Amino acid sequence: MAYVITQPCVDVMDKSCVDVCPVDCIHYEEGADRKLYIDPDECIDCGACEPACPVSAIFAEDDVPADQAIYTEIDALWYKDKAAARGKVPA
């Protein structure tokens, strides 16, 4: 299980979660991305990012709200095809 960054991060990108992640598994490209992404293969499920998020956008994979489920796919996809993942982020 990994953590997932969902809709409240879109166009906010606070980065508090990046500062507390002990394995540096949260990434984005400045000027290209509208949200942050957690690498599901690098995430160690420590949960440090969840309380650090000021907009409550981060959930354990099993706890992602049903209406935000697409973000589980988007986060994983970003590490394989950034353009495809960006295209799936709802406007």
Side-chain angles (χ1 to χ4, degrees):
M1 181 177 70
Y3 279 77
V4 176
I5 300 177
T6 62
Q7 189 280 327
C9 183
V10 175
D11 297 326
V12 174
M13 294 177 53
D14 177 79
K15 301 180 197 80
S16 294
C17 57
V18 175
D19 295 336
V20 299
C21 179
V23 293
D24 297 322
C25 71
I26 304 171
H27 304 98
Y28 69 100
E29 287 185 11
E30 189 76 45
D33 288 308
R34 297 176 53 221
K35 69 178 283 301
L36 305 173
Y37 301 87
I38 295 177
D39 187 333
D41 295 329
E42 292 181 1
C43 179
I44 60 170
D45 307 323
C46 71
C49 57
E50 188 176 13
C53 180
V55 294
S56 301
I58 302 174
F59 296 89
E61 188 174 359
D62 290 344
D63 297 333
V64 173
D67 66 338
Q68 303 286 309
I70 187 69
Y71 289 94
T72 302
E73 175 189 343
I74 292 170
D75 273 18
L77 181 60
W78 191 84
Y79 292 90
K80 295 175 177 96
D81 185 343
K82 290 179 175 65
R86 290 175 184 132
K88 288 182 176 275
V89 174

